[in-house]
Structures are given as C-alpha cells and as structure tokens.
Amino acid sequence: MIRLNTPLTEETIKTLHAGDHVLLSGVVYTARDAAHLRMMDLIAQGKPLPVELDGQVIYYAGPTPTPPGKPVGSIGPTTSTRMDASTPALLERGLRGMIGKGGRSENVIRAMQEHPAVYFAAVGGAAALMAQCVTDLQVVCWDDLGPESVKRLTLQDLPLIVAVDAYGQDAFVNGQRAYLESQV
C-alpha cells in the first residue's frame, strides 16, 4: 500500500503504476458534469478557474447531504468518461490526479502522458464507507449546483487503485488481458 499526500508532484506521479494500491490523504476537490461545463466556459472566456489546479486532484463525486455531526454524507465516485471532453484542458493547467470509476478514453490517456497525471479508481457502491475518510468539507463555488458544486475535501487514507498511470498503462485493460491469457 502506497501512502500519498496532496498536492501531487510530477515526480510522485511518475513513481505510480497501474494496479498500485494507494491511501490518499490531503485536500482534493469534487467536480462533476455541471462544474466541468462551467470550468470549460471560464477557460473559453480566458478567465481564471475557481481553484488553482497545479498539483491538485479532482474527485468525480457529488456528496449526499451532510448528516448532523458528520463532515459529509455518502460520497461515491461517478462515471469518469462523462468528464473526458474537459479533462485534457484541465491537465494542461496542472491537474495531477482524478478519482472516479470506469475507464478513460484514449484522448485522456494520451493527455495524461503529455501532462503527467494519474487516474485513481474508487470502489463504486461503497459511498458510505468512503465518507469515513473525509474529515472536512467546504463548498468552494457554484453552490447553486447543489451536490455538483465544487467542494474542497480533506481526506484521510482514502483507499484507491491506480487505474491509469502517467505511462499510459491501464489497469482495466491489463487486468482483462491477464484474465484472458490465463484462460488459454
């Protein structure tokens, strides 16, 4: 198990390989479809983003309402391909990591190699357990988006798997290949 703290550096990213198990701590930001559309509008207008992305990680999640006495409600990953159109532009601006579920497009994987970044897979269906790794939540912007607003999370040991590394290795593809080869 590899312990990582945000912000992530290019040097740290380059030590990770598809299939590595990670415990991630530190600050990450949530952003889903609607927030990504707003970020792309700001980029198109030449305006600054609400969050400095250099070294940061975006978690593709929209937490449920926060219960009393807790920092966050359930917070599971959403399907990452929905953000694929926006991802290369964010990687160009220094984004170093993404957390979600499912595979990524070839375009995103190429951009991750060009602007070294890592894609972490989180376990879908374990949102209540993942919430136990969140120690603080602050809304950063676009509160009108409700659960899809950009939030600043502080994490302690969020369990993840490196799904795609900065070298273009994809754990989803590698795992399927290994399984098929074992069946011969």
Side-chain angles (χ1 to χ4, degrees):
M1 188 69 68
I2 300 168
R3 291 186 176 275
L4 294 177
N5 290 295
T6 61
L8 300 178
T9 64
E10 184 173 333
E11 293 75 29
T12 298
I13 294 298
K14 289 182 175 182
T15 67
L16 300 173
H17 301 282
D20 286 348
H21 292 243
V22 170
L23 293 174
L24 184 64
S25 297
V27 171
V28 302
Y29 294 90
T30 66
R32 287 183 45 153
D33 312 54
H36 276 74
L37 288 174
R38 288 193 183 177
M39 286 189 275
M40 291 304 97
D41 285 344
L42 290 173
I43 289 170
Q45 296 171 33
K47 294 182 178 176
L49 296 174
V51 173
E52 172 56 51
L53 291 180
D54 193 34
Q56 298 302 326
V57 175
I58 292 180
Y59 184 7
Y60 303 138
T64 63
T66 303
K70 304 269 183 171
V72 68
S74 294
I75 185 162
T78 196
T79 305
S80 301
T81 55
R82 296 190 343 231
M83 276 52 76
D84 279 2
S86 306
T87 300
L90 300 180
L91 292 170
E92 287 174 17
R93 285 157 179 79
L95 181 66
R96 290 280 181 228
M98 299 143 293
I99 303 169
K101 68 179 181 181
R104 301 309 299 262
S105 69
E106 286 299 319
N107 191 39
V108 168
I109 293 171
R110 276 192 305 276
M112 290 172 60
Q113 291 172 286
E114 186 176 336
H115 309 281
V118 63
Y119 169 55
F120 299 106
V123 177
L129 292 173
M130 295 178 80
Q132 294 175 13
C133 299
V134 178
T135 61
D136 189 53
L137 176 148
Q138 306 283 322
V139 175
V140 174
C141 64
W142 303 321
D143 196 33
D144 62 303
L145 296 178
E148 289 202 40
S149 64
V150 174
K151 296 171 182 63
R152 180 185 186 274
L153 302 179
T154 304
L155 303 177
Q156 182 63 48
D157 293 337
L158 182 68
L160 303 167
I161 296 172
V162 175
V164 180
D165 62 30
Y167 304 101
Q169 292 301 304
D170 185 330
F172 294 112
V173 172
N174 294 348
Q176 184 178 34
R177 183 180 306 122
Y179 171 78
L180 292 173
E181 288 172 358
S182 74
Q183 300 304 303
V184 181

